[in-house]
Amino acid sequence: PLLDRGLQVVAFDGLSHGRSDAGAHGPRSSDAVELGRALDAVAARFGPARAVVAHSMGALAALLAIRDGWLASERLVLVAPPSGIPDLLDRIGRELGLGPRATRLLAERARRRTGYAVDDLDLVRIATGLGVRERPELLVVHDLLDREAPHEPSTRLVRSWPGAQLLS
């Protein structure tokens, strides 16, 4: 249907995903900032995006790319987005029984790797920082029983985004 409307459909594997080359962090290792910059490269090659569909960490990458001016889009669909890196680090810390020092070291490693403070890699924080003109229409699709990415952060994201819709 999209092709019938004269639109071009582009799909890509992020660096270190699928059949793509390894990114800066080597095979099977990437981060949301690297993936966000890859969206910039895709838009530079194929032209501006009318809509972007992103899954999991790609959702965080897409929001970073929009916020930081690497990507513009009229519409955005996020499928099972994570809440962001702060919650991920908290979860890893709890699951591994890490203390405050080890958790701080993990956060510092993430900052050095991405160039962003961990708190700046939170989906709702990014969303609320977007200006009205740069904010695309948003649809979030999330399984209520998702075992990897909890549903509740998607609810918070949609509440923070005027006009957004949540399909659960």
Side-chain angles (χ1 to χ4, degrees):
L2 296 172
L3 296 175
D4 291 342
R5 291 182 175 185
L7 298 170
Q8 181 180 22
V9 177
V10 176
F12 79 102
D13 285 330
L15 294 168
S16 300
H17 288 74
R19 294 187 178 157
S20 288
D21 293 336
H25 310 298
R28 297 184 312 272
S29 182
S30 190
D31 60 60
V33 175
E34 184 174 65
L35 294 173
R37 292 185 191 273
L39 284 168
D40 179 34
V42 170
R45 166 77 168 79
F46 293 98
R50 300 271 312 270
V52 172
V53 178
H55 170 252
S56 189
M57 190 60 72
L60 180 57
L63 277 181
L64 279 172
I66 290 168
R67 181 193 71 190
D68 292 349
W70 307 329
L71 177 72
S73 180
E74 297 170 25
R75 292 176 179 83
L76 182 60
V77 179
L78 304 179
V79 181
S83 60
I85 304 304
D87 284 350
L88 176 64
L89 288 181
D90 286 347
R91 189 174 87 195
I92 289 170
R94 281 192 314 275
E95 289 175 2
L96 297 178
L98 301 179
R101 181 175 179 273
T103 303
R104 273 195 318 277
L105 290 172
L106 260 179
E108 177 55 27
R109 181 171 190 249
R111 188 202 56 76
R112 282 193 318 270
R113 181 176 169 143
T114 65
Y116 288 79
V118 167
D119 288 342
D120 290 337
L121 299 174
D122 176 82
L123 231 58
V124 172
R125 185 174 181 162
I126 294 168
T128 56
L130 290 176
V132 174
R133 291 178 47 199
E134 58 193 354
R135 188 176 294 182
E137 291 180 35
L138 176 64
L139 171 64
V140 177
V141 180
H142 207 136
D143 187 330
L144 287 165
L145 302 178
D146 191 317
R147 288 180 282 200
E148 295 296 318
H151 184 272
E152 191 275 330
S154 287
T155 302
R156 280 188 289 136
L157 174 61
V158 168
R159 272 192 257 131
S160 75
W161 194 295
Q165 295 182 5
L166 175 60
L167 177 61
S168 299

